[in-house]
Amino acid sequence: MDKFIAIIFSVSFGYAVLRVTTPLIFAAMGALISDKAGVINIGLEGIMLISALTGVVVSAYTQSAFLGLLMAVIAGSLTGMAMAYFALNLKTDIILSGIAINLFGGGGTIFALYLVAHDKGISSSLKSLVLPKIDIPIIDQIPVLSEIISGQNILTYIALLSVVFVYILVYKTPLGLQIRAVGENEDAADSVGVSVRKIKYIALILSGAFAGFGGAYMSMAYVSWFSKNMTVGRGFIALAAEAMGGSTPFGTLVACFVFGSAEALSNSLQSLRVPTEFVQMIPYVVTVLGLVLYSSRKTSQIRKKIGSRR
Amino acid sequence: MAELLEMKSITKVYPNGIVANYKVDFSLEEGEIHAVVGENGAGKSTLMKILFGMHSPEEGDIFLRGEKIELASSNKAIEKGIGMVHQHFMLVPSLTVAENIVLGIEPKRSFLFDKEKAIKITEELAKKYNLKVDPRALVKDIPVGLKQKVEILKALLRGAKILILDEPTAVLTPQETGELFRELKVLKEKGHTIIFISHKLKEVKALCDRLTVMRNGRNVGVHQVSDVTEEDISRLMVGRDVILKVEKGTALPKETILQVKKIKQKNQFGQTVLNNVSFSLKAGEILGIAGVEGNGQRELVEVLTGLLNLTSGEIYVKGNLINNYSIKAIRDLNISHIPEDRMTYGVAEKMSIENNLIADKYDKEPYSKKGILNIKHIKKKTVEQVEEFRIKCNSPLQEVKMLSGGNIQKVVVAREFSSDPELLIADQPTRGIDVGATEFIRKRIIHLRDQGAGVLLVSADLNEVMELSDRLVVFFNGEIYAYFSDTSNLTEEELGLYMLGVKRQNNEIIRGAIYEEQ
């Protein structure tokens, strides 16, 4: 127990929380934007995998981490656009499109990996690059805080900034107003000449771009390689975080940290003599508990609001 | 007058095979108010949606000032100066009034949305057209009448020169209707051209210059309004004489079925919306509740049907105190409810007519047994009801949202009436539906009364409450302002004084609304 507490209150645990939360934040922001436009992107998991592999391959061939990141984000955006095409032009169900992208991302990346790296599991034969870590001036002078906040990967800071970006985009810009209008009553948006299709395209492309950042982080920052199914459900946890965060950017950020902490804890506990299977379960159990809490709170709110008798 | 717009030989077939418009010609002169009348499902809305670029016709052309135009989207229509106020509101509930009004043409401050500017634009526009709205209010919090104003402002802000109003008065109180007419006449003077879709013939006579009559998806005639009488128009619309007067025998009241005792209700803002309301209703009679909308009628219906929790007071149905009953438990007392807002509470629009018709009884025998639906019985009953209530559809499996407003209302009425209710709570039962359907529903309500049911009729339609009610109470500001034990000698003028709160009866007369307990 002492060891357990020591782990939680260690500086390295704080550092780890930020580190593991980063991809969740990206993916959850992707979920949020698509949800606001009424086309929830279930395909985040698949897009992250596609982008993660793209980043590794491009950085290995160009020897530029930046180009790797750029192409990962573009790959994510294009996948988001493909989903939009399926759902909006070909009229497939958005949920089914997302599932299809997830299955494609899972299998397609292994296939592509085999073509470029001649391995079905890991990309270690490719000399891919990682994105730089950054020390934040001033903060890196403060004890404790510096060890947690400073020296993180550049994408971690971008992830935190992206929350502010999404907040401004959704609540403070004309585009955001249109996105919310389309998500809530697309007939209303249509009736005033807002192109519903265009807005949904934009939302899904942005959503894909965010997932692209998350994917790039996985293979070019979190670790320095691509391995099959390396996102292990983060795309889905992000969807849960978005729901739990009440579809607001900062609420979602908090939810991401809850899930991120659970994951960091499970990573740390592996050093103790706790069965790994149990430890690895923690983030997912927390996700389920979180969603149960969230939905029971939400239903009681709704009941209170409408004054229903049950 | 110059011809402004012409639609030539428009044919529209919906994917489900319904021919909504067949070779319809329609023309509009500059600066006129042009009525498009016809029964529900006659194709008026479809024609106007085509003009607004929401549907593309299979055949036909549209000319604006002699020039052929393509209206591929509502955006294009707006560009051409065509605006539409829809029958079902096209508003985003969680956004503010100002945000709804500027949606799509948002004012910007650098790349950000300029909220203050939006509010200013709204205020100026509202002032210019004398349409009072609160720009900061959330649309979900404002009453129907105000939502309508927001819709009109939306179109005006976009520079609409041709304004299509799809049954605009269906949701308005008589006062608001008068207001709207004055505003429309001002718009006309300023050179706007207005298309007024309606089936309220009085309003057409009062407001419009010309009218186009539609029946069964066809244009069956264009007339100068001054040349035709209301009776002429109704004959053209339905191809027969509509008896607007409903035949009604004397009521034979039996036992008291509903007792409302000193109920008070506060809304979410803490305002008192029902104040010390008491009345009772006997089986076999119709108690009308008249009043300008927004004077507590909606809250009354919601507490009676279990949609709202009662703040204080007592409600008894057949002697049972139902304050804490669930909606289901209340319905199980054999109470039916025709809700005010049929699209929200009346139907599940994406489900079939059949599914909507059994929504209140799917779990009861013989509709289902031990958790298994009796499909055969359901199909049989559905077909019967579609026929009995003259629901115009291709098949009972059609989605309800594909039907016209009047036919959707008939689905609601069919379901609520078919469970042989002992108490019917009818809230605006004929709002926004055509003359034929209105007459039909009114007759059914009287029929239900004659079979011994108690009917609580809430209506903003003066004709309706006066024609149907055996007894009548008038609501103003959440209180009963008047009670009439007999409606036969009542005049609209007198009723109006109470509805507007100009006069109030003394408490002794109002107490007459309560039957003394035996």
Side-chain angles (χ1 to χ4, degrees), chain A residues 168 171-175 177-182 184-195 303 305-310, chain B residues 52 74-75 78 86 90-95 99 103-104 106 108 111-113 154 158 303 306-309 322-323 325-326 330:
Chain A
I168 291 173
Y171 292 102
K172 301 288 175 190
T173 68
L175 177 64
L177 188 68
Q178 295 184 1
I179 287 176
R180 283 183 289 147
V182 165
E184 205 178 322
N185 184 355
E186 58 180 78
D187 288 340
D190 187 45
S191 78
V192 292
V194 170
S195 168
R303 275 181 196 150
K305 199 166 149 200
I306 63 171
S308 159
R309 293 184 183 183
R310 270 191 282 184
Chain B
F52 192 56
S74 38
N75 230 347
I78 292 165
H86 297 271
M90 297 287 183
L91 297 171
V92 186
S94 74
L95 299 186
E99 284 170 337
L103 183 64
E106 302 86 357
K108 285 173 208 164
F111 64 95
L112 297 180
F113 170 59
K154 253 170 71 181
R158 283 160 183 76
V303 296
L307 288 164
L308 268 183
N309 267 331
I322 63 159
N323 286 20
Y325 275 38
S326 70
I330 290 174

Side-chain angles (χ1 to χ4, degrees), chain B residues 300-312:
Chain B
L300 173 70
V301 169
E302 289 186 351
V303 296
L304 287 178
T305 52
L307 288 164
L308 268 183
N309 267 331
L310 186 62
T311 309
S312 76

Side-chain angles (χ1 to χ4, degrees), chain B residues 153 231 381 416 427:
Chain B
L153 286 171
E231 287 73 25
K381 279 285 167 195
E416 298 301 325
D427 193 0

Side-chain angles (χ1 to χ4, degrees), chain A residues 35-67:
Chain A
D35 190 22
K36 286 287 177 200
V39 275
I40 184 97
N41 186 351
I42 300 290
L44 294 166
E45 178 87 0
I47 297 178
M48 283 169 89
L49 282 171
I50 292 167
S51 294
L53 179 63
T54 307
V56 162
V57 172
V58 173
S59 72
Y61 280 90
T62 62
Q63 285 302 300
S64 160
F66 173 73
L67 276 179

Side-chain angles (χ1 to χ4, degrees), chain B residues 359-484:
Chain B
D360 63 330
K361 45 185 153 312
Y362 66 92
D363 57 342
K364 296 186 176 66
E365 285 195 30
Y367 292 90
S368 69
K369 252 180 215 170
K370 300 189 175 92
I372 308 281
L373 288 174
N374 182 351
I375 304 288
K376 213 167 150 189
H377 181 75
I378 290 170
K379 292 237 181 280
K380 185 171 144 260
K381 279 285 167 195
T382 310
V383 170
E384 279 174 24
Q385 284 172 28
V386 165
E387 264 173 38
E388 188 186 349
F389 289 86
R390 298 183 213 154
I391 299 165
K392 206 170 171 184
C393 61
N394 284 358
S395 100
L397 298 177
Q398 209 177 341
E399 275 182 24
V400 160
K401 70 171 177 185
M402 302 304 296
L403 303 179
S404 67
N407 280 305
I408 293 175
Q409 186 71 348
K410 285 186 193 166
V411 171
V412 176
V413 170
R415 177 184 66 224
E416 298 301 325
F417 280 36
S418 60
S419 49
D420 297 319
E422 288 174 70
L423 172 61
L424 169 70
I425 295 165
D427 193 0
Q428 321 289 357
T430 63
R431 162 181 284 176
I433 62 175
D434 63 278
V435 182
T438 299
E439 187 195 354
F440 180 77
I441 290 174
R442 288 182 186 169
K443 277 186 175 163
R444 298 296 306 212
I445 290 175
I446 290 168
H447 180 67
L448 198 66
R449 177 203 76 170
D450 292 343
Q451 287 181 328
V455 178
L456 186 72
L457 172 73
V458 179
S459 181
D461 184 334
L462 278 189
N463 263 325
E464 183 163 273
V465 274
M466 290 172 71
E467 282 288 317
L468 294 187
S469 307
D470 300 311
R471 298 155 67 228
L472 184 66
V473 294
V474 183
F475 267 51
F476 181 76
N477 218 359
E479 291 178 33
I480 296 180
Y481 259 50
Y483 167 70
F484 302 96

Side-chain angles (χ1 to χ4, degrees), chain A residues 109 233 246:
Chain A
T109 50

